[in-house]
Amino acid sequence: MPALTRSYDYTDRNVFVAGGTSGINLAIAEAFARAGARLGVLSRKADKLAAATERLRAFDAGALAFQADVRDAAGVDQALAEFSSAVGSIDVLVSGAAGNFLAPAKDLSPNGFKVVVDIDVLGTFNVMRAAYARLRKPGACIINISAPQSYVPFSLQVHACAAKAGVDQITRVLAKEWGPDGVRVNSISPGPIAGTEGLDRLAPKPSGETADRVVQSVPLRRYGTVDDISAMALFLASADASFVSGAVIPVDGGWGMTGPGASS
């Protein structure tokens, strides 16, 4: 599928992506880098940070790397403080760190539930709270990466469903609280996206019959691509979306209307 049908110019804009070292989040960071933005990326894994920033610097993005766990409020605050000190106010904040795995609720330990909620909900809050003082006001845009689990009940994912519902409510509440400052807050809810760690983890080896079942459950009859998600992120951060805030936007080919395993 074509990556973009129009171009955006983010020259001299400062974009920070939490969890921006793989999959959807890295694709979003790369899209902003191609559009001329200065990038900051955060991850808890040093090797992923090094690989991601090397890729981003190929676009002359001047990417800065920050190692921290989104569950560590002090570490996140320090990273955002250093990024803001280096480049100025933050124009676009993308919060995409997430955790998930398959487990029946009866076998899921309290700690397993807590880990996913802490990464998604606490992590999103930590990133947004630390960023607030460093956001450009008015004019900043925040994009949280959610999932259909926030509104579709997925078996074996009670932890992720609860966590993503929390992320979307954070989006809505802070869109109300921060709107008067001229800060827009939205969520993107990706469907099944080909070639991502999330799809590989939740639908192992999506080939043959398994792949066909997934595709048949999507009304548009295809997997999404990381470019589908990054295109939405570029739009949401642009002047074209200047009156869009508090929205949870599915980019899922209609999948969220039916859910996994269903045929539309």
Side-chain angles (χ1 to χ4, degrees):
M1 303 300 293
L4 292 171
T5 58
R6 62 157 293 174
S7 60
Y8 291 91
D9 184 2
Y10 284 93
T11 302
D12 295 328
R13 305 280 294 280
N14 301 322
V15 177
F16 189 92
V17 183
T21 58
S22 63
I24 287 170
N25 299 316
L26 180 56
I28 290 172
E30 288 184 351
F32 279 108
R34 289 191 189 96
R38 289 183 290 261
L39 268 294
V41 292
L42 179 144
S43 175
R44 65 187 179 89
K45 296 185 177 180
D47 56 338
K48 285 191 172 184
L49 272 174
T53 50
E54 183 177 356
R55 287 180 61 168
L56 293 170
R57 287 167 184 161
F59 303 108
D60 297 322
L64 300 175
F66 301 94
Q67 186 175 2
D69 189 318
V70 293
R71 294 169 289 185
D72 175 12
V76 170
D77 187 73
Q78 180 178 346
L80 282 157
E82 291 177 3
F83 180 65
S84 180
S85 177
V87 302
S89 296
I90 298 169
D91 296 288
V92 182
L93 174 71
V94 179
S95 180
N100 199 1
F101 53 88
L102 298 177
K106 66 182 179 62
D107 299 328
L108 179 63
S109 71
N111 186 63
F113 187 95
K114 182 178 184 296
V115 165
V116 172
V117 171
D118 281 356
I119 294 171
D120 287 49
V121 181
L122 180 61
T124 296
F125 174 75
N126 285 342
V127 170
M128 294 179 70
R129 184 178 182 276
Y132 176 75
R134 289 110 185 176
L135 296 174
R136 189 176 304 282
K137 305 182 193 72
C141 170
I142 296 172
I143 301 168
N144 293 321
I145 305 302
S146 184
Q149 284 91 331
S150 70
Y151 50 91
V152 177
F154 281 58
S155 298
L156 309 180
Q157 297 184 55
V158 64
H159 44 330
C161 291
K164 289 306 186 184
V167 169
D168 286 350
Q169 283 297 80
I170 289 173
T171 293
R172 296 182 181 104
V173 170
L174 296 190
K176 291 185 70 174
E177 288 192 13
W178 297 355
D181 295 325
V183 175
R184 296 184 298 109
V185 187
N186 295 289
S187 286
I188 296 175
S189 180
I193 305 300
T196 59
E197 181 181 348
L199 184 64
D200 291 343
R201 182 180 299 173
L202 301 178
K205 299 179 180 178
S207 60
E209 184 180 345
T210 302
D212 186 64
R213 282 203 308 270
V214 174
V215 169
Q216 290 303 310
S217 71
V218 179
L220 288 183
R221 296 296 191 267
R222 70 171 176 91
Y223 285 106
T225 70
V226 292
D227 290 331
D228 291 321
I229 309 304
S230 59
M232 178 57 71
L234 290 175
F235 164 73
L236 283 174
S238 76
D240 292 340
S242 64
F243 204 52
V244 179
S245 193
V248 177
I249 301 177
V251 183
D252 64 1
W255 195 56
M257 296 187 295
T258 57
S263 181
S264 58

